[in-house]
Amino acid sequence: MILVNAAPVFLRTLSDEREEMGVSGEGYMMKNLLCCFILMVFMTPVAAQEGRLPSDATHHTFKNTLSIYYGRRAQQWFSQIIKNPFAVDFLDDEILTVAYAREVLVLGSGFSVELEGYMSRHMYEGGFVELGGNLFFRFDRFPWNKYLHTTFGLSVLGPSYVTQVSERERRNAPDGVGSKFLNNFMPELTFSLPSHPEWALMLRIHHRSGVFHLIKNITVGSNFVAIGLKRRF
């Protein structure tokens, strides 16, 4: 109850701070998003159920997930990252992403389907925002899960819209302009302690491109290797 009452006061304080400091635009929006994420994490029903989870709880026990992750742009192409993930050269370009996902279908044999929406703050070239969605297929039937609960997710389809096309994407585009709308293709690994499946460490490749020339003849987009945290509820 204290947290619920504190939330609007906290956000009003941020609004007052913005006026006093003259902060505006996307940077302030992302700051508010992060604050809301923190508040939501501690206001979820899971927080009230801590220590009362069933002994066989997995990520399927929770239908909703909040995620936050930080990534840096990789110099290599997507296929090169997959082939040799330990030899990635990073550029200075950074992103910070907040996402919400919901499990919508359990297919059986360890497979499930999730829908995700996200917002990313690209912290370079003056800063800009990316909005998008993902259709995730997830597999969780690994033989070591009683020691470290692991899932592998793959989003093969989802829109990605940026408010500004980055210089690197323009350079890689055949027309030298690029596209604000591209498609997502995002593989992801998550790791949880069996005793706390509500928390997960996540590793993701945040990739957007033109789906093998289907969008404006674009094949190379951008790749960010990211690490973050998931909170399931």
Side-chain angles (χ1 to χ4, degrees):
M1 181 63 70
I2 294 175
L3 283 172
V4 172
N5 292 334
V9 175
F10 186 44
L11 292 177
R12 281 199 303 271
T13 301
L14 285 176
S15 181
D16 294 341
E17 179 186 272
R18 175 189 176 183
E19 293 179 1
E20 291 176 4
M21 299 181 65
V23 179
S24 60
E26 298 162 353
Y28 178 75
M29 178 170 53
M30 198 66 192
K31 181 178 179 181
N32 265 345
L33 262 179
L34 293 178
C35 292
C36 289
F37 175 85
I38 294 170
L39 288 171
M40 289 174 70
V41 162
F42 290 102
M43 289 165 60
T44 58
V46 175
Q49 297 171 3
E50 201 73 55
R52 298 204 299 273
L53 294 173
S55 58
D56 59 347
T58 69
H59 75 282
H60 291 301
T61 307
F62 317 100
K63 296 299 182 183
N64 306 281
T65 305
L66 289 170
S67 305
I68 183 170
Y69 61 85
Y70 163 84
R72 292 188 66 184
R73 189 193 294 270
Q75 186 170 335
Q76 285 79 6
W77 290 5
F78 181 85
S79 59
Q80 294 173 320
I81 298 172
I82 296 298
K83 290 178 181 177
N84 197 350
F86 299 104
V88 176
D89 297 312
F90 291 101
L91 304 175
D92 291 334
D93 303 349
E94 301 170 304
I95 59 167
L96 186 62
T97 300
V98 177
Y100 166 76
R102 181 170 177 83
E103 183 181 82
V104 294
L105 188 62
V106 177
L107 301 174
S109 300
F111 290 95
S112 59
V113 180
E114 300 170 6
L115 292 177
E116 180 190 77
Y118 70 87
M119 179 177 184
S120 297
R121 166 71 171 174
H122 289 250
M123 297 176 287
Y124 54 94
E125 296 183 21
F128 57 95
V129 168
E130 177 183 348
L131 300 173
N134 287 304
L135 176 65
F136 265 103
F137 293 90
R138 191 171 299 278
F139 177 77
D140 71 339
R141 192 163 292 182
F142 292 98
W144 57 82
N145 273 4
K146 65 179 180 179
Y147 306 106
L148 182 66
H149 191 269
T150 304
T151 78
F152 172 73
L154 181 64
S155 170
V156 297
L157 183 67
S160 169
Y161 172 80
V162 291
T163 57
Q164 169 186 315
V165 180
S166 70
E167 187 276 333
R168 188 173 179 85
E169 285 192 7
R170 291 196 303 272
R171 190 168 65 245
N172 290 331
D175 61 2
V177 177
S179 174
K180 289 185 176 181
F181 281 101
L182 287 176
N183 182 70
N184 289 321
F185 189 89
M186 299 189 185
E188 175 188 280
L189 285 168
T190 73
F191 306 95
S192 302
L193 294 176
S195 58
H196 290 281
E198 70 273 23
W199 288 103
L201 176 71
M202 62 179 292
L203 301 173
R204 175 183 291 193
I205 299 177
H206 184 111
H207 169 85
R208 59 179 241 125
S209 65
V211 199
F212 302 106
H213 303 282
L214 289 180
I215 302 176
K216 294 189 67 176
N217 203 32
I218 295 171
T219 181
V220 178
S222 57
N223 302 294
F224 290 84
V225 179
I227 184 170
L229 189 67
K230 286 182 178 286
R231 175 67 160 176
R232 302 176 176 128
F233 62 99

